[in-house]
Amino acid sequence: AQTVTQSQPEMSVQEAETVTLSCTYDTSESDYYLFWYKQPPSRQMILVIRQEAYKQQNATENRFSVNFQKAAKSFSLKISDSQLGDAAMYFCAYRRLYNFNKFYFGSGTKLNVKP
Amino acid sequence: DTEVTQTPKHLVMGMTNKKSLKCEQHMGHRAMYWYKQKAKKPPELMFVYSYEKLSINESVPSRFSPECPNSSLLNLHLHALQPEDSALYLCASSSAAGGPTDTQYFGPGTRLTVL
């Protein structure tokens, strides 16, 4: 079974600085998808970034980028130039290649952004 | 802007009440999901409908009854709930195409309180 681990329950970052959120996963499959979702307080969950395991290039979306280390089964999220609006719960998620139905979520990391 | 809508936003009900949660999407997605989320925890999958057929039921108690009248609508009927069922109920949808862009899009949720 796939498991996703986020070892940092809570983190803080100063506005305009960079922060990295960690995620590791366990799988025996060679191809799969990985995602980071953001859930601001009392607001809906939105997709931040996704990575296809068969692509070696790390995904980037504006200030958000990932460090995907397939051999180490690690998928960290880097947020550059942090903004107050980045404060949220961040969930790492795994999806099997051909099974679109089920996401395996990590326990989440609460990110605080200090002005 | 959310493309998955949920009503109501908040619901308070007694243990003997019958109520329904509603979810709607207009993205042409063919898979729809119900999740239960407790505070500071990841979403827990409850049900998945694929092409209007129930494809996953994660051993959810029968006091929760899902319904998918058409590809755009998803309901969750509630009856004889327990206080521990109080949570945020999230609806999500995805294309069901199975490829890398088959990402789940979440609604804002219904905050349910069972007295």
Side-chain angles (χ1 to χ4, degrees):
Chain A
Q2 286 73 28
T3 57
V4 179
T5 302
Q6 293 179 248
S7 58
Q8 305 149 317
E10 189 165 355
M11 296 188 70
S12 295
V13 64
Q14 205 71 33
E15 197 175 5
E17 295 190 345
T18 296
V19 65
T20 299
L21 280 58
S22 301
C23 173
T24 59
Y25 56 94
D26 186 25
T27 184
S28 58
E29 299 172 340
S30 59
D31 287 322
Y32 43 85
Y33 303 111
L34 297 164
F35 304 84
W36 278 99
Y37 277 89
K38 168 186 177 182
Q39 189 176 34
S42 300
R43 295 184 64 186
Q44 73 187 95
M45 188 175 296
I46 59 172
L47 176 69
V48 175
I49 199 165
R50 72 173 145 241
Q51 175 79 43
E52 293 133 56
Y54 49 85
K55 288 188 176 179
Q56 293 187 341
Q57 187 173 3
N58 288 327
T60 300
E61 289 285 345
N62 301 315
R63 298 182 295 107
F64 298 87
S65 62
V66 299
N67 184 3
F68 173 49
Q69 301 290 326
K70 191 173 183 180
K73 296 180 183 176
S74 171
F75 182 61
S76 60
L77 175 70
K78 185 171 87 171
I79 306 174
S80 304
D81 185 26
S82 296
Q83 301 175 359
L84 295 177
D86 294 333
M89 283 290 289
Y90 286 81
F91 293 101
C92 178
Y94 172 105
R95 203 205 92 194
R96 299 176 68 183
L97 188 68
Y98 296 113
N99 183 350
F100 60 86
N101 277 342
K102 196 158 184 177
F103 276 39
Y104 297 86
F105 285 95
S107 55
T109 297
K110 182 181 179 185
L111 179 66
N112 303 305
V113 181
K114 299 177 181 178
Chain B
D1 291 344
T2 178
E3 295 186 77
V4 179
T5 59
Q6 291 186 244
T7 54
K9 290 185 179 179
H10 301 275
L11 179 63
V12 179
M13 60 186 291
M15 289 190 285
T16 58
N17 293 157
K18 286 185 180 180
K19 297 286 184 182
S20 297
L21 309 184
K22 181 180 175 180
C23 174
E24 194 166 4
Q25 59 88 12
H26 295 287
M27 294 181 281
H29 288 171
R30 301 309 300 271
M32 295 186 76
Y33 310 75
W34 280 116
Y35 287 89
K36 174 183 178 181
Q37 187 181 28
K38 291 282 198 178
K40 298 185 180 181
K41 297 292 185 183
E44 299 173 33
L45 184 63
M46 299 174 72
F47 302 104
V48 180
Y49 274 84
S50 177
Y51 294 87
E52 294 122 70
K53 292 185 179 179
L54 184 64
S55 60
I56 292 180
N57 176 342
E58 292 284 44
S59 302
V60 179
S62 59
R63 57 186 184 267
F64 295 91
S65 175
E67 179 195 18
C68 188
N70 58 57
S71 60
S72 300
L73 283 174
L74 186 66
N75 299 320
L76 185 63
H77 303 298
L78 314 172
H79 173 57
L81 294 191
Q82 304 297 310
E84 59 264 28
D85 296 322
S86 299
L88 181 67
Y89 287 83
L90 295 170
C91 174
S93 71
S94 71
S95 67
T101 58
D102 194 355
T103 302
Q104 292 189 21
Y105 294 86
F106 286 83
T110 292
R111 178 74 60 190
L112 174 67
T113 302
V114 182
L115 300 176

